[in-house]
DNA sequence: TATCCATTTCATATCATTTTGAAATAGATC
DNA sequence: GATCTATTTCAAAATGATATGAAATGGATA
């Protein structure tokens, strides 16, 4: 038996299984959202967001502050960029990264906890 | 060269590398925070949170709605529980899961996007 | 054009998460 | 106590994410 009898009534009141399923956003929206959370789910990436909160910084300063290898930083910057949390603006020889509006909001959620 | 000369001045104004490092929470806090985001970083787990938003549900109804195997659901419920986003209350033969306050706030952040 | 330097890309190794199906647990009912 | 059923646990396989160092890119300057 899938659903025990005593629960069937409660379930019916809220529209049954189909009623519950209607709560879900479509798969694409869920992927986007969970992808954003995935980007936030790493201490090194949270450090990068925290660094960018006061204002934009170039890659070299971020690298020096975090004390990690170039390629490793580049990987994490790319994850954040793909998730729409930061944006990079080439400026002469170097690239300046800053928080996007979404990135800023994610960070304030972070600080609200 | 670590930091290009033209950037040194800007960097000095914001307290240098050490000034930037002082922005970081300690490692443990970052682990806790990224751990919570990790729990949110999966479409199936987001579906579970969305299901529980209107009110508590038993495991069997959640399983039937999601259409996944028992053990798989149990795994995801456990991830959410460990992250403090949901709580399970045994009630007779079955177990009733509900959002915690933190889980509710995470969900509203989710919907605010 | 040759060179320099900041950043990214790539291949590969390592590590972590997720899925799957079978077996265990534990509470309720007979 | 025996059995039934909802849920969890476990081990293994499959999949995905991260770290690392060497090589490539591409803009700036000489």
């Amino acid at each position: 038996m899938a659903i025990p009898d005593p629960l069937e009534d409660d379930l019916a009141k809220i529209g049954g299984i189909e009623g519950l399923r209607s709560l879900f956003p479509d798969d694409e929206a869920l992927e986007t959202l969970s992808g954003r959370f995935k980007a936030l789910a790493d201490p090194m990436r949270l450090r990068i967001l925290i660094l960018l909160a006061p204002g934009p910084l170039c890659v070299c300063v971020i690298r020096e502050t975090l004390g990690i290898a170039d390629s490793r930083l580049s990987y994490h910057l790319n994850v954040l960029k793909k998730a729409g949390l930061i944006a990079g603006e080439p400026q002469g020889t170097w690239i300046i990264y800053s928080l996007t509006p979404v990135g800023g909001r994610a960070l304030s959620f972070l600080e609200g906890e």
Side-chain angles (χ1 to χ4, degrees), chain A residues 10 20 40 42 49 61 86 90 104 112:
Chain A
D10 290 350
L20 286 174
L40 292 164
D42 179 282
L49 293 178
V61 168
I86 66 174

Side-chain angles (χ1 to χ4, degrees), chain A residues 5-34:
Chain A
D5 286 345
L7 291 180
E8 283 285 7
D9 290 350
D10 290 350
L11 186 54
K13 281 190 201 120
I14 54 179
I17 296 293
E18 279 312 315
L20 286 174
R21 284 196 183 131
S22 72
L23 296 173
F24 297 146
D26 60 42
D27 290 359
E28 195 190 327
L30 283 171
E31 284 297 335
T32 302
L33 199 54
S34 65

Side-chain angles (χ1 to χ4, degrees), chain A residues 8 17-18 31 44-45 49-50 53 55 58-59 70 72-73 81 83 85 91-92 94 103 105-106:
Chain A
E8 283 285 7
I17 296 293
E18 279 312 315
E31 284 297 335
M44 199 56 79
R45 290 197 289 269
L49 293 178
I50 290 168
C58 71
V59 175
D70 288 333
R72 188 177 167 194
L73 175 56
K81 196 164 60 179
L85 297 170
Q91 204 154 103
W94 46 80
R105 267 180 279 140

